[in-house]
Amino acid sequence: MFVVICSRRDQWFSSSLHHAEGDKLKKKVYCAKAMGSLHVKAIFLLLAISITPSTAWTVRIVNRLSNKKVLFAHCKSGDDDLGPQYIKTRDEFKFSFRVNFFRTTLFWCNMSKDKKSHASLDVFWSFSNAGKHGGFDLSTWAVNEEALWIVRDDGIYLWMKAPGWPEDEPYVIETLFRRWEPKR
């Protein structure tokens, strides 16, 4: 038996094909009321979520502190705690993920360069969180789906595409995003 299910407005149709004796084929078509429009919408939403591709992103945090200082970074999202990281000078910590269907993905980090100073900042936000950042949509400024953060003695810098520069030749500018704050 082979069953085909399709929908038209508020009804479900199911076609069952049975092999009869010999080469004869009987076909029965019958109709049943739908489970309810809410169930139908939920099924289609789940199907859309499962087949919608999500962009893969990488966040890189690069230690460019002087005097061989080790950078401490602890990054999290609403779903993931990436744990404490101790990044040596000239090394980096990176992680990759996919933006969720509703484009609400947000990662933030607490960083410290020594016992006296620290910084807390969002290191990735998707379009729906741009309002929290003055309308700045990270995805339109990042190069190749990568948020690159350079940690220096005076603060934390974001590498971005220069405004109006062609996509195939990304000219990158380094912008001071957050200064270090004294620890309390």
Side-chain angles (χ1 to χ4, degrees):
M1 182 166 106
F2 178 69
V3 178
V4 178
I5 298 176
C6 58
S7 67
R8 183 172 55 189
R9 293 194 183 191
D10 65 341
Q11 297 177 335
W12 284 90
F13 292 91
S14 176
S15 299
S16 300
L17 306 176
H18 297 275
H19 287 285
E21 295 176 15
D23 293 327
K24 292 183 180 179
L25 185 66
K26 291 183 181 179
K27 182 177 179 184
K28 292 181 181 178
V29 178
Y30 58 93
C31 176
K33 285 285 184 186
M35 299 179 292
S37 65
L38 182 60
H39 291 98
V40 173
K41 289 176 185 174
I43 289 170
F44 287 114
L45 179 62
L46 288 173
L47 179 62
I49 290 171
S50 67
I51 63 173
T52 302
S54 175
T55 304
W57 277 85
T58 299
V59 170
R60 290 176 49 207
I61 300 169
V62 180
N63 181 351
R64 294 289 188 253
L65 295 170
S66 64
N67 301 323
K68 297 185 180 181
K69 289 181 186 172
V70 174
L71 172 68
F72 170 81
H74 191 164
C75 301
K76 298 179 180 184
S77 75
D79 299 325
D80 299 303
D81 183 340
L82 304 177
Q85 306 294 320
Y86 296 91
I87 309 162
K88 295 178 184 177
T89 302
R90 302 283 177 217
D91 280 351
E92 69 178 49
F93 168 61
K94 71 179 180 177
F95 57 94
S96 297
F97 55 92
R98 292 198 174 276
V99 174
N100 66 21
F101 177 75
F102 298 105
R103 298 182 69 188
T104 58
T105 303
L106 176 67
F107 278 92
W108 63 92
C109 295
N110 294 313
M111 297 184 204
S112 181
K113 69 174 183 167
D114 54 31
K115 293 180 181 180
K116 298 177 185 177
S117 52
H118 74 98
S120 296
L121 68 149
D122 294 344
V123 294
F124 178 84
W125 59 92
S126 45
F127 176 75
S128 62
N129 292 309
K132 180 180 172 184
H133 297 280
F136 179 72
D137 180 6
L138 182 68
S139 65
T140 61
W141 290 87
V143 178
N144 299 326
E145 284 72 41
E146 182 175 81
L148 177 59
W149 299 92
I150 307 296
V151 179
R152 299 192 184 280
D153 291 326
D154 62 336
I156 302 165
Y157 291 78
L158 174 61
W159 278 35
M160 303 183 311
K161 290 185 287 194
W165 201 261
E167 287 290 322
D168 56 343
E169 298 178 29
Y171 171 73
V172 178
I173 56 175
E174 189 175 278
T175 303
L176 180 61
F177 192 82
R178 179 72 34 99
R179 291 197 181 274
W180 294 107
E181 299 174 13
K183 282 189 177 179
R184 296 177 195 179

